[in-house]
C-alpha cells in the first residue's frame, strides 16, 4: 500500500508539476503564433505558416482523429519537455517578502527578474512547533537547516500517515510557479512581436501581425503573472506549514 501511495504521489507531481504546465505553455505558444499573423512565415523563412483560429481548431481536430501511438508520444514528449524547461527556469527565484506584498511590484519583478518567494519557509508563528519537531527528528544534534529538515520530515510523514497535504501544496506551488513563468514568456513574445510587427508594417504593408490578439495576449499574460505569482507564494507557505504541523501531529499525537 505504501508503495502504491508513493507511486501515486510521484505521478501527481509529474502531472501537476510538469505535464499540465507543459500543455498550458504549448497553448500560449499557439496563441502567440496565431497573433503573429502574416509575419510568421516571413520571420521564420517559411518554417511557420500563417495560423488562425480556424486552422488551429482544424489542426487539433485532425490531431485528435489521427492520434495513434506516434502522435500521442510526440504530444507527451513535447509537453514533458516544455514542462521541464519551465520548472528549471522558474526555480531560480529569490526570497523577497517586500516585493510579494505589492501586486504591482511583484508582477514587475516577475517580468524583469525571477519569481519572488517568501523569505520564510513557513509561518513564523509555528517556530515553537518547528523547534520541538526538529529536536525530535535530529537526535544526533546535526543541526538541520530547512532543506535538511523538510526532507526528513516529509519522509517521516509519508511513512507514518496515510493522508497528507504536503504533496498537494507542493504540486500546487510548482504548478503556479511554472504557469507564471509561461505567462512571462508569452508577455515578452507578444510585446516584441507587436513592436516588431508595427515597424515591419511601415516598410512592408502586406506583412502585419494581428494587433487585437497580441494586445489581448499582453493583457492576459500580465493578469496571469499577477494572479499565479501570488498563488505560488501562498501555496509555498502552506507547503512549509504542512511539513511542520503534520510532522508535529504524528510525533506528539496524544495517547489513546
Amino acid at each position: 500500500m505504501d508503495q502504491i501511495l508513493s507511486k501515486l504521489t510521484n505521478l501527481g507531481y509529474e502531472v501537476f508539476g510538469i505535464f499540465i504546465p507543459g500543455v498550458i505553455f504549448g497553448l500560449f505558444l499557439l496563441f502567440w503564433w496565431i497573433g503573429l499573423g502574416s509575419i510568421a512565415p516571413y520571420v521564420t523563412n517559411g518554417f511557420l505558416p500563417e495560423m488562425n483560429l480556424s486552422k488551429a481548431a482544424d489542426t487539433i481536430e485532425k490531431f485528435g482523429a489521427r492520434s495513434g501511438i506516434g502522435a500521442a508520444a510526440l504530444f507527451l514528449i513535447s509537453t514533458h519537455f516544455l514542462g521541464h524547461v519551465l520548472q528549471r527556469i522558474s526555480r531560480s527565484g529569490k526570497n523577497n517578502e517586500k516585493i510579494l506584498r505589492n501586486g504591482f511590484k511583484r508582477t514587475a519583478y516577475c517580468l524583469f527578474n525571477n519569481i519572488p518567494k517568501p523569505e520564510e519557509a513557513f509561518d513564523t508563528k509555528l517556530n515553537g512547533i518547528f523547534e520541538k519537531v526538529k529536536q525530535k527528528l535530529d537526535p544526533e544534534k546535526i543541526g538541520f537547516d530547512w532543506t535538511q529538515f523538510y526532507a526528513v520530515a516529509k519522509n517521516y510523514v509519508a511513512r507514518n500517515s496515510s493522508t497528507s497535504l504536503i504533496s498537494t501544496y507542493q504540486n500546487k506551488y510548482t504548478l503556479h510557479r511554472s504557469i507564471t513563468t509561461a505567462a512571462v514568456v508569452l508577455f515578452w513574445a507578444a510585446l516584441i512581436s507587436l513592436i516588431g510587427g508595427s515597424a515591419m508594417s511601415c516598410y512592408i504593408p502586406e506583412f502585419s501581425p494581428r494587433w487585437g490578439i497580441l494586445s489581448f495576449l499582453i493583457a492576459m499574460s500580465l493578469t496571469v503573472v499577477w494572479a499565479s505569482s501570488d498563488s505560488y507564494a501562498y501555496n509555498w507557505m502552506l507547503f512549509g506549514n504542512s511539513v511542520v504541523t503534520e510532522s508535529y501531529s504524528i510525533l506528539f499525537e496524544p495517547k489513546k
Side-chain angles (χ1 to χ4, degrees), residues 19-97:
F19 179 70
I20 292 180
V23 172
I24 292 174
F25 192 30
L27 289 174
F28 282 177
L29 294 177
L30 177 61
F31 294 149
W32 171 62
W33 182 6
I34 293 173
L36 288 177
S38 59
I39 69 172
Y42 182 80
V43 298
T44 61
N45 197 26
F47 180 76
L48 291 178
E50 182 178 352
M51 179 62 71
N52 54 44
L53 291 174
S54 60
K55 287 182 179 179
D58 291 340
T59 301
I60 294 174
E61 183 178 354
K62 290 179 181 179
F63 182 85
R66 300 175 182 175
S67 59
I69 296 177
L74 177 62
F75 176 73
L76 290 174
I77 291 172
S78 59
T79 53
H80 196 261
F81 173 76
L82 291 174
H84 273 290
V85 169
L86 289 175
Q87 186 196 48
R88 182 63 181 174
I89 297 173
S90 62
R91 290 176 64 181
S92 57
K94 303 296 182 181
N95 304 70
N96 199 320
E97 192 70 36

Coordinates of all heavy atoms in Angstrom, one line a residue, residues 19-97:
F19 N 3.5 18.0 -16.6 CA 2.6 17.8 -17.8 C 1.7 19.0 -18.0 O 1.6 19.6 -19.1 CB 1.9 16.5 -17.7 CG 0.9 16.3 -18.8 CD1 1.4 15.9 -20.1 CD2 -0.4 16.4 -18.7 CE1 0.6 15.7 -21.1 CE2 -1.3 16.1 -19.7 CZ -0.8 15.8 -20.9
I20 N 0.9 19.4 -17.0 CA -0.1 20.4 -17.2 C 0.6 21.8 -17.5 O 0.1 22.5 -18.4 CB -1.0 20.6 -15.9 CG1 -1.9 19.3 -15.8 CG2 -1.8 21.8 -16.0 CD1 -2.8 19.3 -14.6
P21 N 1.7 22.2 -16.8 CA 2.4 23.4 -17.3 C 2.9 23.3 -18.7 O 2.8 24.3 -19.4 CB 3.5 23.5 -16.3 CG 3.1 22.8 -15.1 CD 2.3 21.7 -15.6
G22 N 3.3 22.1 -19.1 CA 3.8 22.0 -20.5 C 2.6 22.2 -21.5 O 2.8 22.8 -22.5
V23 N 1.5 21.7 -21.2 CA 0.3 21.8 -22.0 C -0.1 23.3 -22.1 O -0.4 23.8 -23.2 CB -0.9 21.0 -21.5 CG1 -2.2 21.3 -22.3 CG2 -0.6 19.5 -21.6
I24 N -0.1 24.0 -21.0 CA -0.5 25.4 -20.9 C 0.5 26.2 -21.7 O 0.1 27.1 -22.5 CB -0.6 25.9 -19.5 CG1 -1.8 25.2 -18.8 CG2 -0.8 27.4 -19.4 CD1 -1.9 25.5 -17.3
F25 N 1.8 25.9 -21.5 CA 2.8 26.7 -22.3 C 2.7 26.5 -23.8 O 2.8 27.4 -24.6 CB 4.2 26.2 -21.8 CG 5.3 27.1 -22.3 CD1 5.1 28.5 -22.5 CD2 6.6 26.6 -22.5 CE1 6.1 29.3 -22.9 CE2 7.6 27.4 -22.9 CZ 7.4 28.8 -23.1
G26 N 2.3 25.2 -24.2 CA 2.1 24.9 -25.6 C 1.0 25.7 -26.1 O 1.0 26.2 -27.3
L27 N -0.1 25.9 -25.4 CA -1.3 26.7 -25.8 C -0.9 28.1 -25.9 O -1.3 28.8 -26.8 CB -2.4 26.5 -24.8 CG -3.1 25.1 -24.8 CD1 -4.2 25.0 -23.7 CD2 -3.8 24.8 -26.2
F28 N -0.1 28.6 -24.9 CA 0.4 30.0 -25.0 C 1.1 30.3 -26.3 O 0.9 31.3 -27.0 CB 1.2 30.3 -23.8 CG 0.5 30.6 -22.5 CD1 1.2 30.8 -21.3 CD2 -0.9 30.6 -22.5 CE1 0.5 31.1 -20.2 CE2 -1.6 30.8 -21.3 CZ -0.9 31.1 -20.2
L29 N 2.0 29.3 -26.6 CA 2.8 29.5 -27.8 C 1.9 29.4 -29.1 O 2.2 30.1 -30.1 CB 3.9 28.4 -27.9 CG 5.0 28.4 -26.8 CD1 5.9 27.3 -27.0 CD2 5.7 29.7 -26.9
L30 N 0.9 28.6 -29.1 CA -0.1 28.5 -30.2 C -0.8 29.8 -30.4 O -0.9 30.3 -31.5 CB -1.0 27.4 -30.0 CG -2.1 27.2 -31.0 CD1 -1.5 26.9 -32.4 CD2 -3.1 26.1 -30.6
F31 N -1.3 30.4 -29.3 CA -1.9 31.7 -29.3 C -1.0 32.8 -29.9 O -1.4 33.7 -30.6 CB -2.5 32.1 -28.0 CG -3.6 31.2 -27.4 CD1 -3.7 31.0 -26.1 CD2 -4.4 30.6 -28.3 CE1 -4.7 30.1 -25.6 CE2 -5.4 29.7 -27.8 CZ -5.5 29.5 -26.5
W32 N 0.2 32.7 -29.4 CA 1.2 33.7 -29.9 C 1.4 33.5 -31.4 O 1.5 34.5 -32.2 CB 2.5 33.5 -29.2 CG 3.7 34.3 -29.7 CD1 3.8 35.7 -29.8 CD2 4.9 33.8 -30.3 NE1 5.0 36.1 -30.4 CE2 5.7 34.9 -30.7 CE3 5.4 32.5 -30.5 CZ2 6.9 34.8 -31.3 CZ3 6.6 32.4 -31.1 CH2 7.4 33.5 -31.5
W33 N 1.5 32.3 -31.9 CA 1.7 32.0 -33.3 C 0.5 32.6 -34.1 O 0.7 33.2 -35.2 CB 1.8 30.5 -33.5 CG 2.0 30.0 -34.9 CD1 2.2 30.8 -36.0 CD2 2.0 28.6 -35.3 NE1 2.4 30.0 -37.1 CE2 2.2 28.7 -36.7 CE3 1.8 27.4 -34.7 CZ2 2.3 27.5 -37.5 CZ3 1.9 26.3 -35.4 CH2 2.1 26.3 -36.8
I34 N -0.7 32.4 -33.6 CA -1.9 33.0 -34.2 C -1.8 34.5 -34.3 O -2.1 35.2 -35.3 CB -3.2 32.6 -33.5 CG1 -3.4 31.1 -33.6 CG2 -4.4 33.3 -34.0 CD1 -4.5 30.5 -32.8
G35 N -1.3 35.1 -33.2 CA -1.1 36.6 -33.1 C -0.1 37.1 -34.1 O -0.2 38.3 -34.5
L36 N 0.9 36.3 -34.5 CA 1.9 36.8 -35.4 C 1.3 37.1 -36.8 O 1.8 38.0 -37.5 CB 3.0 35.7 -35.6 CG 3.9 35.5 -34.4 CD1 4.9 34.4 -34.7 CD2 4.7 36.8 -34.1
G37 N 0.2 36.4 -37.1 CA -0.5 36.7 -38.4 C 0.4 36.4 -39.6 O 1.1 35.4 -39.7
S38 N 0.5 37.4 -40.6 CA 1.2 37.1 -41.8 C 2.7 37.3 -41.7 O 3.4 37.0 -42.6 CB 0.7 38.1 -42.9 OG 0.8 39.5 -42.5
I39 N 3.2 37.8 -40.5 CA 4.6 37.9 -40.4 C 5.3 36.6 -39.9 O 6.5 36.5 -40.0 CB 5.0 39.0 -39.4 CG1 4.6 38.6 -38.0 CG2 4.4 40.3 -39.8 CD1 5.1 39.6 -36.9
A40 N 4.5 35.6 -39.5 CA 5.0 34.3 -39.1 C 5.9 33.7 -40.2 O 7.0 33.3 -39.9 CB 3.9 33.4 -38.6
P41 N 5.4 33.5 -41.4 CA 6.2 32.8 -42.4 C 7.4 33.7 -42.8 O 8.4 33.2 -43.2 CB 5.2 32.6 -43.6 CG 4.1 33.5 -43.4 CD 4.0 33.7 -41.9
Y42 N 7.2 35.0 -42.7 CA 8.3 36.0 -43.1 C 9.5 35.9 -42.2 O 10.6 35.8 -42.6 CB 7.7 37.4 -43.2 CG 8.7 38.4 -43.7 CD1 9.0 38.5 -45.0 CD2 9.4 39.2 -42.8 CE1 9.9 39.5 -45.5 CE2 10.4 40.1 -43.2 CZ 10.6 40.3 -44.5 OH 11.6 41.2 -45.0
V43 N 9.2 36.0 -40.9 CA 10.3 36.0 -39.9 C 10.9 34.6 -39.7 O 12.1 34.5 -39.2 CB 9.9 36.6 -38.6 CG1 9.4 38.0 -38.8 CG2 8.8 35.8 -37.9
T44 N 10.2 33.5 -40.1 CA 10.7 32.2 -39.9 C 11.2 31.6 -41.2 O 11.4 30.4 -41.3 CB 9.7 31.3 -39.2 OG1 8.5 31.2 -40.1 CG2 9.3 31.8 -37.9
N45 N 11.2 32.4 -42.3 CA 11.7 31.9 -43.6 C 10.8 30.8 -44.1 O 11.3 29.8 -44.7 CB 13.1 31.5 -43.6 CG 13.7 31.4 -45.0 OD1 13.3 32.1 -45.9 ND2 14.8 30.6 -45.1
G46 N 9.5 30.9 -43.8 CA 8.6 29.8 -44.3 C 8.4 28.6 -43.4 O 7.6 27.7 -43.7
F47 N 9.2 28.6 -42.3 CA 9.1 27.4 -41.4 C 7.7 27.3 -40.8 O 7.1 26.2 -40.6 CB 10.2 27.4 -40.4 CG 10.2 26.3 -39.4 CD1 10.6 25.0 -39.8 CD2 9.7 26.4 -38.1 CE1 10.6 23.9 -39.0 CE2 9.6 25.3 -37.3 CZ 10.1 24.1 -37.7
L48 N 7.2 28.5 -40.3 CA 5.9 28.5 -39.7 C 4.9 29.2 -40.7 O 5.1 30.3 -41.1 CB 5.9 29.3 -38.4 CG 6.6 28.7 -37.2 CD1 6.6 29.7 -36.0 CD2 6.0 27.4 -36.8
P49 N 3.8 28.5 -41.1 CA 2.9 29.2 -41.9 C 2.0 30.1 -41.1 O 2.0 30.1 -39.9 CB 2.0 28.0 -42.5 CG 2.1 27.0 -41.4 CD 3.5 27.1 -40.8
E50 N 1.2 30.9 -41.8 CA 0.3 31.8 -41.1 C -0.8 31.0 -40.4 O -1.4 30.1 -41.1 CB -0.4 32.8 -42.1 CG -1.3 33.8 -41.4 CD -1.9 34.8 -42.3 OE1 -1.4 34.8 -43.5 OE2 -2.8 35.5 -41.9
M51 N -1.0 31.2 -39.2 CA -2.0 30.4 -38.4 C -3.2 31.3 -38.0 O -3.0 32.5 -37.7 CB -1.3 29.8 -37.2 CG -2.3 29.0 -36.3 SD -2.9 27.6 -37.1 CE -1.5 26.5 -37.2
N52 N -4.4 30.8 -38.0 CA -5.5 31.5 -37.4 C -6.3 30.5 -36.6 O -6.0 29.4 -36.4 CB -6.4 32.1 -38.6 CG -6.8 31.1 -39.6 OD1 -7.2 29.9 -39.2 ND2 -6.7 31.4 -40.9
L53 N -7.4 31.0 -36.0 CA -8.2 30.2 -35.0 C -8.8 29.0 -35.7 O -8.8 27.9 -35.2 CB -9.3 31.1 -34.4 CG -8.8 32.2 -33.4 CD1 -10.0 33.1 -33.0 CD2 -8.1 31.6 -32.2
S54 N -9.3 29.2 -36.9 CA -10.0 28.1 -37.6 C -8.9 27.0 -38.0 O -9.2 25.8 -37.8 CB -10.7 28.5 -38.9 OG -9.8 29.2 -39.8
K55 N -7.7 27.4 -38.5 CA -6.7 26.5 -38.8 C -6.2 25.7 -37.5 O -5.9 24.5 -37.6 CB -5.5 27.2 -39.4 CG -5.8 27.6 -40.9 CD -4.5 28.3 -41.4 CE -4.7 28.7 -42.9 NZ -3.5 29.4 -43.4
A56 N -6.1 26.5 -36.4 CA -5.7 25.8 -35.2 C -6.7 24.8 -34.7 O -6.3 23.7 -34.3 CB -5.5 26.9 -34.1
A57 N -8.0 25.1 -34.8 CA -9.0 24.2 -34.5 C -9.0 22.9 -35.4 O -9.2 21.8 -34.9 CB -10.4 24.9 -34.5
D58 N -8.8 23.2 -36.7 CA -8.7 22.0 -37.6 C -7.5 21.2 -37.3 O -7.6 19.9 -37.4 CB -8.7 22.5 -39.0 CG -10.0 23.2 -39.5 OD1 -11.0 22.9 -38.9 OD2 -9.9 24.0 -40.5
T59 N -6.4 21.8 -37.0 CA -5.2 21.0 -36.7 C -5.4 20.2 -35.4 O -5.0 19.0 -35.4 CB -4.0 22.0 -36.4 OG1 -3.8 22.8 -37.6 CG2 -2.7 21.2 -36.1
I60 N -6.0 20.8 -34.4 CA -6.3 20.0 -33.2 C -7.2 18.9 -33.4 O -7.1 17.7 -32.9 CB -6.8 20.9 -32.1 CG1 -5.7 22.0 -31.7 CG2 -7.2 20.1 -30.8 CD1 -6.2 23.0 -30.7
E61 N -8.3 19.1 -34.2 CA -9.2 18.1 -34.6 C -8.6 17.0 -35.4 O -8.8 15.8 -35.1 CB -10.4 18.7 -35.4 CG -11.5 17.7 -35.7 CD -12.7 18.4 -36.4 OE1 -12.6 19.6 -36.6 OE2 -13.6 17.6 -36.8
K62 N -7.8 17.3 -36.3 CA -7.1 16.3 -37.1 C -6.1 15.5 -36.3 O -6.0 14.3 -36.4 CB -6.4 16.9 -38.3 CG -7.3 17.5 -39.4 CD -6.5 18.1 -40.5 CE -7.4 18.7 -41.5 NZ -6.6 19.4 -42.6
F63 N -5.5 16.2 -35.4 CA -4.5 15.5 -34.5 C -5.2 14.5 -33.6 O -4.8 13.4 -33.4 CB -3.8 16.5 -33.6 CG -2.8 15.9 -32.7 CD1 -1.5 15.6 -33.1 CD2 -3.1 15.6 -31.4 CE1 -0.5 15.1 -32.3 CE2 -2.2 15.0 -30.5 CZ -0.9 14.8 -31.0
G64 N -6.4 14.9 -33.1 CA -7.2 14.0 -32.3 C -7.7 12.8 -33.1 O -7.8 11.7 -32.5
A65 N -8.1 13.1 -34.3 CA -8.7 12.0 -35.1 C -7.6 11.0 -35.5 O -7.9 9.8 -35.7 CB -9.4 12.5 -36.4
R66 N -6.4 11.5 -35.7 CA -5.3 10.6 -36.2 C -4.4 10.2 -35.0 O -3.3 9.6 -35.3 CB -4.4 11.4 -37.2 CG -5.2 11.8 -38.5 CD -4.3 12.6 -39.4 NE -5.1 13.1 -40.5 CZ -4.6 13.9 -41.5 NH1 -3.3 14.3 -41.3 NH2 -5.3 14.3 -42.5
S67 N -4.8 10.5 -33.8 CA -3.9 10.3 -32.7 C -3.6 8.8 -32.5 O -4.5 8.0 -32.1 CB -4.4 10.9 -31.4 OG -5.7 10.3 -31.1
G68 N -2.5 8.3 -32.9 CA -2.0 7.0 -32.7 C -0.9 7.0 -31.7 O -0.7 7.9 -30.9
I69 N -0.1 5.9 -31.7 CA 1.0 5.9 -30.7 C 2.0 6.9 -31.0 O 2.5 7.6 -30.1 CB 1.6 4.5 -30.8 CG1 0.6 3.4 -30.4 CG2 2.9 4.4 -30.0 CD1 1.2 2.0 -30.5
G70 N 2.3 7.2 -32.3 CA 3.3 8.2 -32.7 C 2.9 9.6 -32.3 O 3.7 10.3 -31.7
A71 N 1.6 9.9 -32.6 CA 1.1 11.3 -32.3 C 1.1 11.5 -30.8 O 1.4 12.5 -30.2 CB -0.3 11.5 -32.9
A72 N 0.6 10.5 -30.0 CA 0.5 10.6 -28.6 C 1.9 10.7 -28.0 O 2.1 11.5 -27.0 CB -0.2 9.3 -28.0
A73 N 2.8 9.9 -28.5 CA 4.2 10.0 -28.0 C 4.8 11.4 -28.2 O 5.5 12.0 -27.4 CB 5.1 8.9 -28.6
L74 N 4.6 12.0 -29.4 CA 5.1 13.3 -29.8 C 4.5 14.3 -28.8 O 5.2 15.2 -28.3 CB 4.7 13.6 -31.2 CG 5.1 15.0 -31.7 CD1 6.7 15.2 -31.6 CD2 4.7 15.3 -33.1
F75 N 3.2 14.2 -28.6 CA 2.5 15.1 -27.7 C 3.1 15.1 -26.2 O 3.3 16.1 -25.6 CB 1.0 14.8 -27.7 CG 0.2 15.7 -26.7 CD1 0.0 17.0 -27.0 CD2 -0.3 15.1 -25.5 CE1 -0.8 17.8 -26.1 CE2 -1.0 15.9 -24.6 CZ -1.3 17.2 -24.9
L76 N 3.2 13.8 -25.7 CA 3.7 13.7 -24.4 C 5.2 14.1 -24.3 O 5.5 14.8 -23.3 CB 3.6 12.2 -24.0 CG 2.2 11.6 -23.8 CD1 2.3 10.1 -23.5 CD2 1.6 12.3 -22.6
I77 N 6.0 13.8 -25.3 CA 7.4 14.3 -25.2 C 7.5 15.8 -25.2 O 8.3 16.4 -24.5 CB 8.2 13.6 -26.4 CG1 8.3 12.1 -26.1 CG2 9.6 14.2 -26.5 CD1 8.9 11.4 -27.3
S78 N 6.8 16.4 -26.1 CA 6.9 17.9 -26.3 C 6.4 18.6 -25.0 O 7.0 19.5 -24.5 CB 6.1 18.3 -27.5 OG 4.7 18.0 -27.4
T79 N 5.2 18.2 -24.5 CA 4.7 18.8 -23.3 C 5.6 18.5 -22.1 O 5.8 19.4 -21.2 CB 3.3 18.3 -23.0 OG1 3.2 16.9 -23.0 CG2 2.3 18.8 -24.0
H80 N 6.1 17.3 -22.0 CA 7.0 17.0 -20.9 C 8.3 17.8 -21.0 O 8.8 18.3 -19.9 CB 7.4 15.5 -21.0 CG 8.0 15.0 -19.7 ND1 9.4 14.8 -19.5 CD2 7.4 14.6 -18.5 CE1 9.6 14.3 -18.3 NE2 8.5 14.2 -17.7
F81 N 8.8 18.0 -22.2 CA 10.0 18.9 -22.4 C 9.7 20.3 -22.0 O 10.5 21.0 -21.2 CB 10.5 18.8 -23.8 CG 11.6 19.8 -24.1 CD1 12.9 19.5 -23.7 CD2 11.3 20.9 -24.9 CE1 13.9 20.4 -24.0 CE2 12.3 21.8 -25.2 CZ 13.6 21.6 -24.8
L82 N 8.6 20.9 -22.4 CA 8.2 22.2 -22.1 C 8.0 22.4 -20.6 O 8.4 23.4 -20.0 CB 7.0 22.6 -22.9 CG 7.1 22.8 -24.4 CD1 5.7 23.1 -25.0 CD2 8.0 24.0 -24.7
G83 N 7.4 21.4 -20.0 CA 7.2 21.5 -18.5 C 8.5 21.5 -17.8 O 8.6 22.2 -16.8
H84 N 9.4 20.7 -18.2 CA 10.7 20.7 -17.5 C 11.5 22.0 -17.7 O 12.2 22.5 -16.8 CB 11.6 19.5 -18.0 CG 11.3 18.2 -17.2 ND1 11.7 18.0 -15.9 CD2 10.7 17.1 -17.6 CE1 11.4 16.8 -15.5 NE2 10.7 16.2 -16.5
V85 N 11.4 22.6 -18.9 CA 12.0 23.8 -19.2 C 11.5 24.9 -18.3 O 12.2 25.7 -17.6 CB 11.8 24.2 -20.7 CG1 12.3 25.7 -20.9 CG2 12.6 23.3 -21.6
L86 N 10.1 24.9 -18.1 CA 9.5 25.9 -17.2 C 10.0 25.7 -15.8 O 10.3 26.7 -15.1 CB 8.0 25.8 -17.3 CG 7.3 26.3 -18.6 CD1 5.8 26.0 -18.6 CD2 7.5 27.8 -18.8
Q87 N 10.0 24.5 -15.4 CA 10.4 24.2 -14.0 C 11.8 24.6 -13.7 O 12.1 25.2 -12.7 CB 10.2 22.7 -13.7 CG 10.4 22.4 -12.2 CD 10.7 20.9 -12.0 OE1 11.4 20.3 -12.7 NE2 10.0 20.3 -11.0
R88 N 12.7 24.3 -14.6 CA 14.1 24.7 -14.5 C 14.3 26.2 -14.4 O 15.0 26.7 -13.5 CB 14.9 24.1 -15.6 CG 16.4 24.4 -15.6 CD 17.0 23.7 -14.4 NE 18.4 24.0 -14.3 CZ 19.2 23.6 -13.2 NH1 18.6 22.9 -12.2 NH2 20.5 23.9 -13.2
I89 N 13.6 26.9 -15.3 CA 13.7 28.4 -15.3 C 13.1 29.0 -14.0 O 13.7 29.9 -13.4 CB 13.1 29.0 -16.5 CG1 13.8 28.5 -17.8 CG2 13.1 30.5 -16.5 CD1 13.1 28.9 -19.1
S90 N 12.0 28.5 -13.6 CA 11.2 29.1 -12.5 C 11.8 28.9 -11.1 O 11.5 29.6 -10.2 CB 9.8 28.7 -12.5 OG 9.7 27.3 -12.3
R91 N 12.7 27.9 -11.0 CA 13.2 27.5 -9.7 C 14.2 28.5 -9.2 O 14.7 28.4 -8.0 CB 13.8 26.1 -9.7 CG 12.8 25.0 -9.9 CD 13.4 23.7 -10.0 NE 14.2 23.3 -8.8 CZ 14.8 22.2 -8.6 NH1 14.9 21.3 -9.7 NH2 15.4 21.9 -7.5
S92 N 14.7 29.4 -10.0 CA 15.8 30.3 -9.6 C 15.3 31.6 -8.9 O 16.1 32.6 -8.8 CB 16.6 30.7 -10.8 OG 15.8 31.3 -11.8
G93 N 14.1 31.6 -8.4 CA 13.5 32.8 -7.8 C 14.2 33.1 -6.4 O 14.7 32.2 -5.8
K94 N 14.3 34.4 -6.1 CA 14.9 34.8 -4.8 C 13.8 35.1 -3.8 O 12.7 35.5 -4.1 CB 15.8 36.0 -5.1 CG 16.9 35.8 -6.1 CD 17.8 34.8 -5.7 CE 19.0 34.6 -6.8 NZ 19.9 33.5 -6.4
N95 N 14.2 35.0 -2.5 CA 13.3 35.4 -1.4 C 13.2 36.9 -1.3 O 14.2 37.6 -1.2 CB 13.9 34.8 -0.1 CG 14.1 33.3 -0.2 OD1 15.0 32.8 -0.8 ND2 13.3 32.6 0.5
N96 N 12.0 37.4 -1.3 CA 11.8 38.8 -1.3 C 10.4 39.1 -0.8 O 9.4 39.2 -1.5 CB 12.0 39.5 -2.6 CG 12.3 41.0 -2.5 OD1 11.7 41.7 -1.7 ND2 13.2 41.5 -3.2
E97 N 10.3 39.3 0.6 CA 8.9 39.4 1.2 C 8.3 40.8 0.8 O 7.1 40.9 0.6 CB 9.1 39.3 2.7 CG 7.7 39.2 3.4 CD 7.1 37.9 3.2 OE1 7.8 36.8 3.1 OE2 5.8 37.9 3.0

